[in-house]
Amino acid sequence: MSISHNKDIGTKQKALAINLDPKIYGSFAEIGAGQDVAANFFKAGASSGTIAKTMSAYDMTVSDAIYGALKVKRYVSESRLMAMLNHEYNLLVERLAEQRGDNTTFFAFSDTVSTLNYHKTNEAHGWMGVRFQLEPNGPFNDVVLHVKLLDNDSNLQQQAVGVLGVNLLYACFYYNEVPRLSYCH
């Protein structure tokens, strides 16, 4: 999939482009304040062509029941993100590879985010990542980011997570090739 970089395409258009691509199909799992990524795909339209499942959770006990209890009790951590990506991607392939695997590039998007609390006494940050295939039945690739949220308002932080998540997923599928370098002599 080769698309030249278009700096004028917005978040909604990127989400819609993914939603309209019949080869891209996957799931979203968002824990904590990072609920805006999947919402962007729903708002763009045609999300039924892209989204197999969305899951969100705030409760730590629920998170442990789904993704397992970690030795380190930090829920906004890279290890929690990796547990989420492993679980969600494996479920997707287990349940859908037989029906869709020959024509689909699967993905699992996950994030675990803490925005500013009411008293603004915490560190606002999160982890997000995508496990994705570049070709049907191909191996998976991972992209993992640690995000520091610098806005002084939790709503703006949530919006930033949503925009970043859409851009991350878009880049995984449409900007994954290393550009050919040309040298001037």
Side-chain angles (χ1 to χ4, degrees), residues 74 76 114-117 120-126 146-149 157:
R74 296 185 66 209
V76 179
S114 175
T115 58
L116 284 176
N117 62 25
K120 299 182 180 184
T121 58
N122 65 317
E123 177 189 5
H125 73 107
H146 181 246
V147 180
K148 293 185 107 180
L149 301 168
Q157 291 174 346

Side-chain angles (χ1 to χ4, degrees), residues 81-91 131 140 142:
L81 175 72
M82 294 311 296
M84 294 168 70
L85 288 174
N86 288 333
H87 179 81
E88 297 300 332
Y89 185 82
N90 290 342
L91 274 180
R131 178 162 289 175
F140 66 79
D142 286 340

Side-chain angles (χ1 to χ4, degrees), residues 85-176:
L85 288 174
N86 288 333
H87 179 81
E88 297 300 332
Y89 185 82
N90 290 342
L91 274 180
L92 194 64
V93 171
E94 174 187 313
R95 293 176 178 169
L96 296 174
E98 188 174 315
Q99 297 93 338
R100 297 184 67 124
D102 292 339
N103 301 312
T104 302
T105 54
F106 291 120
F107 74 89
F109 175 93
S110 297
D111 64 41
T112 175
V113 177
S114 175
T115 58
L116 284 176
N117 62 25
Y118 181 77
H119 300 290
K120 299 182 180 184
T121 58
N122 65 317
E123 177 189 5
H125 73 107
W127 288 88
M128 72 171 51
V130 182
R131 178 162 289 175
F132 64 103
Q133 296 174 315
L134 289 174
E135 58 188 48
N137 294 315
F140 66 79
N141 304 278
D142 286 340
V143 176
V144 174
L145 303 175
H146 181 246
V147 180
K148 293 185 107 180
L149 301 168
L150 302 178
D151 288 305
N152 198 23
D153 177 84
S154 63
N155 287 329
L156 292 175
Q157 291 174 346
Q158 290 172 1
Q159 289 173 15
V161 168
V163 170
L164 181 58
V166 170
N167 279 287
L168 175 59
L169 197 56
Y170 188 84
C172 287
F173 286 105
Y174 298 117
Y175 297 150
N176 57 57

